[in-house]
Amino acid sequence: MVQKKILNLTGVLKKVLYSNTENGYCIAVLENDQKICGNYFDTDLKKLVGEEIIMTGDWTTHKKYGAQFEFITLEIQEAELYFFLTKIVKGVGKAVAKALLEKYSEEELVDILDNDPNKLLNEKGIKEKKLTTIINSWQKFKHMRELGSYLSKYGVTSNLITKIFEVFGAVENMVDKIEENPYILTNIKGIGFKKADEIAQAIGIDKKSQFRISACLNFILNEYCNSNGNSSIGKKKIFMLLDDALGFEKENELYQNTINHMVRHSEIFKTSQHRYAPSMLYNAEKKIIEFFEKRQKSPKHIIVNDFDQWLEKKEKTIGFTLSTEQKKAVSLINDGNNTLMLVGYAGTGKSTSSRALLELLEEVYGYDEIHCIALSGIASQRISDTTGYKSSTIQSLLLSSKEKDYLEYKVVLLDEASMVNSTMFYQIVSKIKDDTIFIIVGDDGQLPAIGAGDILADAMKFELSPVCKLTKIYRQNEHQAIATIANDIRCGQVPKFKEKYDDFKFADVSIDNYYSNKAAMGANEFSNIREDNTDKILSSILNISSDYLKEAYNLIKQKNISKFLTLFQVITPMKGGILGVENLNKHLQNLFNSNRGKSVKSRLYEYKVADKVIHIKNTNMKAQTMNMYREGSIDFLEKRIFNGQLGMIIKLDFDEAKAIVLYPNDDIVVFYDFDELQNLISLAYCLTIHKTQGMEYDTALIPMTFSHFIMHNTKLLYTAITRAKNMCYVVGEEEAFTTACKRIETTKRETVIQDLLG
């Protein structure tokens, strides 16, 4: 076997020909026209243009680019610290960096930055605020560089190195911790067991060690549960997943020994004879059962003695008459039940019933003791608008009550409960006092929660609390059809979708004789026809969307950003393809945002002022209230910003390299570093159906194509159509739509609650 030579090459970097942000791989050319290639993770290689660099590696021949020097390491030849201080570490300009390096050696300056940074306050041009920026940036750079040097040997990309740093932060001795247990890296989205295991194998961890198998079991349990919505898994499935991940074949005895060890140490739990669950999900769902069972045993106290007389009087003041079903909901609370599940499909009057319930309870507890919660800011605003009571997102209420044992309210109403997974539901109920009235409102026809568990369905199935099921659909007139069309689809029936309605329109862009053409034509010929039809659907979507341009501009001009964000929404099942989220977002951005000012490019999108965006990761962010921002405050808050919050970019600050996003429903302005954009926000002109759960828009538009057929089912379509408040468009292929209407979603989640109570 011929061993590769390690050679040195130096030169001035002239131009970067290719750079992949995902894996750090680049191709560049030196001033003497020599080509170089390799993976570089310290920073964007383009920042090194004009610098003299030294590399180790060897020459290779590429069939397209010819002779190239494939580098293993790449460093700046001289004054490396000066380069990183001026170009990577924020807060240090050229003049300050030059002065510092004239006064101190590189070793002395690194020691000061690490151990005695306040010493730099004696230097000209460095004040406390600037020093804080320098220290924070230096620490981040130093730890990332150390991590990068270590992990790049194992093929970990620069993008993942950044993600690792975001999760673990500036943890001391991070490299030592990874060497001690490389499987901690599986906590990073994008690093699965396989990549962590490669590092573990390189370090020398025994393939059949209980340590390795335990780490794999933990990973597959959590990964499978979160991606499939289950909170427990059967042993047979676990063994199959372990075989696949570990590269073994039926090492069942080894697996069972590991499982027994983990059960003994409460790392996982046995939920029934052959089923197991991760400890977090087991504890959450077991305690949810205990919460409901305890409340069912609570003493009952009637609220209003003459209920019929009170109801008659109340119906006059609220201006509507409750149905028999709605009266039942109110009477269950009046009879002294401290928990109620109010469940109904679209258009069955859940909001009306909620308002009546809360008005009854206000007579006992007072307005300020009642609070509504929902997963999204838009959903929480909607329940407040329809009931008249105070509301917030679940996350913000839990955060504000972090230091308290219990929520301070006497009545808590949870809306859109189908969206709430096991862990979040447990977080809510763990904060609810025994004497607090808890009302759970949901639609069991919608998609279940993102994440593990199926609490709404399980609580109904096992009658964990009194349930009031609303079934009668209310329409103002025969020309309104969103609720009836959605409910027909929920039942697996093709609705009367071609009739003229005020709030629903099917725009037919079909391929003539779809099935006969597909059978008769060659694959390439039919593929071209489908591609052409997809372009027609896209064109139709943009034509309909253009009708909302004027109103969108006016709302922005009037600074009614909250209304702008929910005016018009395109909803599609998939991310990729011509009619997927990513492509539609780019087309819709061109349509809705004609701003010709300077923009910021990320890996996927280009961001401009007035863009509609969505936050995509739960994270703490630097923020201000809207009043603080208007007044030009120099102070900042640290706010938790949650996945799914809708906002608008109100400023791009190129001096500070920050994008400023307004979240009007949360009364907050958030500051994003330009280099954070691709990981934290996305354009939101088009969203996936899962992303819009719990939202409501004045108008929703849904593309319909056989290209998305793998995702089509009744639950998905029902959820999409019920996002529309006043108008719903379905645009595309009639056959795809009618087939989707009949494709009933039959997948059932497997849960700890079912194992324990079934």
Side-chain angles (χ1 to χ4, degrees), residues 688-716:
T688 62
I689 297 169
H690 285 89
K691 274 283 184 207
T692 61
Q693 276 182 270
M695 304 285 206
E696 188 177 66
Y697 306 92
D698 285 355
T699 299
L701 186 154
I702 305 150
M704 187 56 53
T705 167
F706 275 109
S707 304
H708 297 162
F709 187 70
I710 192 170
M711 293 290 289
H712 285 165
N713 61 60
T714 51
K715 260 194 193 295
L716 202 79

Short mmCIF file of all heavy atoms in Angstrom, two decimals, residues 688-716:
data_model
loop_
_atom_site.label_atom_id
_atom_site.label_comp_id
_atom_site.label_asym_id
_atom_site.label_seq_id
_atom_site.Cartn_x
_atom_site.Cartn_y
_atom_site.Cartn_z
N THR A 688 -45.23 24.77 5.39
CA THR A 688 -45.77 23.41 5.34
C THR A 688 -47.05 23.37 6.18
O THR A 688 -47.27 24.20 7.06
CB THR A 688 -44.79 22.38 5.92
OG1 THR A 688 -44.54 22.70 7.29
CG2 THR A 688 -43.50 22.34 5.14
N ILE A 689 -47.89 22.37 5.90
CA ILE A 689 -49.14 22.23 6.64
C ILE A 689 -48.84 22.02 8.12
O ILE A 689 -49.50 22.61 9.00
CB ILE A 689 -49.97 21.05 6.09
CG1 ILE A 689 -50.37 21.34 4.63
CG2 ILE A 689 -51.23 20.80 6.93
CD1 ILE A 689 -50.97 20.17 3.88
N HIS A 690 -47.79 21.25 8.45
CA HIS A 690 -47.44 21.03 9.85
C HIS A 690 -47.06 22.33 10.54
O HIS A 690 -47.38 22.54 11.71
CB HIS A 690 -46.27 20.03 9.96
CG HIS A 690 -46.69 18.62 9.71
ND1 HIS A 690 -46.69 18.05 8.45
CD2 HIS A 690 -47.16 17.66 10.55
CE1 HIS A 690 -47.11 16.80 8.54
NE2 HIS A 690 -47.40 16.53 9.79
N LYS A 691 -46.38 23.23 9.82
CA LYS A 691 -45.97 24.51 10.42
C LYS A 691 -47.15 25.42 10.71
O LYS A 691 -47.06 26.32 11.54
CB LYS A 691 -45.00 25.24 9.47
CG LYS A 691 -43.55 24.85 9.63
CD LYS A 691 -42.93 25.47 10.86
CE LYS A 691 -41.44 25.13 10.93
NZ LYS A 691 -40.92 25.12 12.29
N THR A 692 -48.27 25.22 9.98
CA THR A 692 -49.42 26.13 10.16
C THR A 692 -50.43 25.61 11.18
O THR A 692 -51.45 26.25 11.42
CB THR A 692 -50.16 26.36 8.82
OG1 THR A 692 -50.64 25.10 8.34
CG2 THR A 692 -49.25 27.00 7.79
N GLN A 693 -50.15 24.45 11.79
CA GLN A 693 -51.06 23.94 12.81
C GLN A 693 -51.29 24.99 13.89
O GLN A 693 -50.34 25.60 14.39
CB GLN A 693 -50.48 22.68 13.46
CG GLN A 693 -50.75 21.41 12.68
CD GLN A 693 -50.20 20.21 13.40
OE1 GLN A 693 -49.06 19.83 13.20
NE2 GLN A 693 -51.00 19.60 14.25
N GLY A 694 -52.55 25.20 14.25
CA GLY A 694 -52.87 26.18 15.29
C GLY A 694 -53.00 27.60 14.78
O GLY A 694 -53.41 28.49 15.51
N MET A 695 -52.63 27.84 13.52
CA MET A 695 -52.72 29.17 12.92
C MET A 695 -54.07 29.35 12.25
O MET A 695 -54.78 28.38 11.96
CB MET A 695 -51.61 29.36 11.87
CG MET A 695 -50.22 29.12 12.38
SD MET A 695 -49.63 30.48 13.38
CE MET A 695 -47.87 30.32 13.17
N GLU A 696 -54.42 30.60 11.96
CA GLU A 696 -55.61 30.90 11.16
C GLU A 696 -55.29 32.12 10.30
O GLU A 696 -54.70 33.08 10.78
CB GLU A 696 -56.80 31.21 12.07
CG GLU A 696 -58.11 31.35 11.29
CD GLU A 696 -59.30 31.57 12.21
OE1 GLU A 696 -59.36 32.63 12.87
OE2 GLU A 696 -60.17 30.68 12.28
N TYR A 697 -55.65 32.05 9.04
CA TYR A 697 -55.35 33.12 8.09
C TYR A 697 -56.64 33.57 7.42
O TYR A 697 -57.56 32.76 7.21
CB TYR A 697 -54.36 32.62 7.02
CG TYR A 697 -53.11 32.01 7.61
CD1 TYR A 697 -53.03 30.65 7.85
CD2 TYR A 697 -52.03 32.81 7.96
CE1 TYR A 697 -51.89 30.08 8.43
CE2 TYR A 697 -50.89 32.26 8.52
CZ TYR A 697 -50.83 30.90 8.76
OH TYR A 697 -49.71 30.35 9.33
N ASP A 698 -56.72 34.84 7.07
CA ASP A 698 -57.91 35.32 6.36
C ASP A 698 -58.13 34.49 5.10
O ASP A 698 -59.24 34.07 4.81
CB ASP A 698 -57.74 36.80 5.97
CG ASP A 698 -57.91 37.72 7.16
OD1 ASP A 698 -58.25 37.21 8.24
OD2 ASP A 698 -57.69 38.93 7.02
N THR A 699 -57.04 34.29 4.34
CA THR A 699 -57.11 33.49 3.11
C THR A 699 -55.97 32.48 3.10
O THR A 699 -54.83 32.82 3.40
CB THR A 699 -57.01 34.39 1.86
OG1 THR A 699 -58.11 35.30 1.86
CG2 THR A 699 -57.03 33.57 0.58
N ALA A 700 -56.30 31.24 2.75
CA ALA A 700 -55.27 30.20 2.60
C ALA A 700 -55.37 29.62 1.19
O ALA A 700 -56.46 29.50 0.64
CB ALA A 700 -55.45 29.10 3.63
N LEU A 701 -54.21 29.30 0.61
CA LEU A 701 -54.15 28.70 -0.72
C LEU A 701 -53.33 27.42 -0.64
O LEU A 701 -52.21 27.42 -0.12
CB LEU A 701 -53.53 29.68 -1.72
CG LEU A 701 -53.53 29.26 -3.20
CD1 LEU A 701 -53.49 30.49 -4.10
CD2 LEU A 701 -52.35 28.36 -3.55
N ILE A 702 -53.90 26.32 -1.17
CA ILE A 702 -53.25 25.01 -1.07
C ILE A 702 -53.00 24.44 -2.47
O ILE A 702 -53.95 24.19 -3.21
CB ILE A 702 -54.13 24.03 -0.27
CG1 ILE A 702 -54.48 24.61 1.10
CG2 ILE A 702 -53.46 22.67 -0.12
CD1 ILE A 702 -55.81 24.16 1.65
N PRO A 703 -51.74 24.25 -2.88
CA PRO A 703 -51.45 23.59 -4.16
C PRO A 703 -51.85 22.12 -4.08
O PRO A 703 -51.72 21.49 -3.02
CB PRO A 703 -49.94 23.72 -4.30
CG PRO A 703 -49.52 24.73 -3.28
CD PRO A 703 -50.52 24.67 -2.19
N MET A 704 -52.33 21.58 -5.18
CA MET A 704 -52.77 20.18 -5.20
C MET A 704 -52.17 19.50 -6.43
O MET A 704 -52.49 19.85 -7.56
CB MET A 704 -54.29 20.12 -5.25
CG MET A 704 -54.86 18.74 -5.11
SD MET A 704 -54.36 17.82 -3.62
CE MET A 704 -54.77 18.97 -2.32
N THR A 705 -51.25 18.55 -6.19
CA THR A 705 -50.56 17.90 -7.30
C THR A 705 -50.21 16.47 -6.93
O THR A 705 -49.96 16.16 -5.76
CB THR A 705 -49.27 18.66 -7.67
OG1 THR A 705 -48.47 17.86 -8.53
CG2 THR A 705 -48.43 19.01 -6.45
N PHE A 706 -50.16 15.59 -7.94
CA PHE A 706 -49.75 14.22 -7.69
C PHE A 706 -48.29 14.14 -7.23
O PHE A 706 -47.87 13.13 -6.68
CB PHE A 706 -49.95 13.36 -8.95
CG PHE A 706 -51.34 12.81 -9.07
CD1 PHE A 706 -52.21 13.30 -10.04
CD2 PHE A 706 -51.79 11.82 -8.21
CE1 PHE A 706 -53.50 12.78 -10.15
CE2 PHE A 706 -53.07 11.30 -8.32
CZ PHE A 706 -53.94 11.79 -9.28
N SER A 707 -47.52 15.20 -7.45
CA SER A 707 -46.13 15.24 -6.98
C SER A 707 -46.07 15.12 -5.46
O SER A 707 -45.07 14.69 -4.90
CB SER A 707 -45.45 16.55 -7.40
OG SER A 707 -45.53 16.71 -8.78
N HIS A 708 -47.14 15.56 -4.78
CA HIS A 708 -47.19 15.52 -3.31
C HIS A 708 -47.98 14.32 -2.80
O HIS A 708 -48.31 14.26 -1.61
CB HIS A 708 -47.85 16.80 -2.77
CG HIS A 708 -47.10 18.05 -3.07
ND1 HIS A 708 -47.69 19.30 -2.99
CD2 HIS A 708 -45.82 18.27 -3.46
CE1 HIS A 708 -46.79 20.23 -3.31
NE2 HIS A 708 -45.66 19.62 -3.60
N PHE A 709 -48.26 13.37 -3.68
CA PHE A 709 -49.21 12.30 -3.34
C PHE A 709 -48.81 11.52 -2.09
O PHE A 709 -49.66 11.09 -1.31
CB PHE A 709 -49.39 11.34 -4.52
CG PHE A 709 -50.49 10.34 -4.29
CD1 PHE A 709 -51.82 10.74 -4.27
CD2 PHE A 709 -50.19 9.00 -4.05
CE1 PHE A 709 -52.84 9.82 -4.03
CE2 PHE A 709 -51.21 8.07 -3.82
CZ PHE A 709 -52.53 8.49 -3.81
N ILE A 710 -47.51 11.35 -1.88
CA ILE A 710 -47.04 10.58 -0.72
C ILE A 710 -47.51 11.20 0.59
O ILE A 710 -47.68 10.52 1.60
CB ILE A 710 -45.49 10.46 -0.75
CG1 ILE A 710 -45.02 9.42 0.27
CG2 ILE A 710 -44.82 11.79 -0.52
CD1 ILE A 710 -43.56 9.05 0.17
N MET A 711 -47.76 12.53 0.55
CA MET A 711 -48.18 13.24 1.77
C MET A 711 -49.70 13.38 1.88
O MET A 711 -50.21 13.80 2.92
CB MET A 711 -47.55 14.64 1.79
CG MET A 711 -46.05 14.66 1.94
SD MET A 711 -45.51 14.14 3.58
CE MET A 711 -46.02 15.54 4.58
N HIS A 712 -50.41 13.08 0.81
CA HIS A 712 -51.85 13.35 0.81
C HIS A 712 -52.62 12.36 1.69
O HIS A 712 -52.51 11.15 1.53
CB HIS A 712 -52.42 13.27 -0.61
CG HIS A 712 -52.06 14.45 -1.45
ND1 HIS A 712 -52.18 14.47 -2.82
CD2 HIS A 712 -51.60 15.69 -1.12
CE1 HIS A 712 -51.80 15.64 -3.29
NE2 HIS A 712 -51.44 16.39 -2.28
N ASN A 713 -53.41 12.89 2.60
CA ASN A 713 -54.38 12.08 3.35
C ASN A 713 -55.43 13.01 3.93
O ASN A 713 -55.28 14.24 3.89
CB ASN A 713 -53.70 11.23 4.44
CG ASN A 713 -52.99 12.06 5.48
OD1 ASN A 713 -53.61 12.87 6.16
ND2 ASN A 713 -51.69 11.87 5.61
N THR A 714 -56.49 12.45 4.47
CA THR A 714 -57.63 13.25 4.93
C THR A 714 -57.26 14.19 6.08
O THR A 714 -57.69 15.34 6.11
CB THR A 714 -58.78 12.33 5.36
OG1 THR A 714 -58.28 11.36 6.28
CG2 THR A 714 -59.39 11.62 4.16
N LYS A 715 -56.46 13.70 7.02
CA LYS A 715 -56.08 14.55 8.17
C LYS A 715 -55.28 15.77 7.72
O LYS A 715 -55.48 16.88 8.20
CB LYS A 715 -55.28 13.74 9.19
CG LYS A 715 -56.10 13.24 10.38
CD LYS A 715 -55.18 12.76 11.48
CE LYS A 715 -55.87 11.96 12.55
NZ LYS A 715 -56.83 12.55 13.38
N LEU A 716 -54.34 15.53 6.80
CA LEU A 716 -53.49 16.62 6.33
C LEU A 716 -54.31 17.67 5.58
O LEU A 716 -54.17 18.87 5.80
CB LEU A 716 -52.40 16.05 5.42
CG LEU A 716 -51.15 16.91 5.27
CD1 LEU A 716 -50.25 16.74 6.48
CD2 LEU A 716 -50.37 16.51 4.03
#
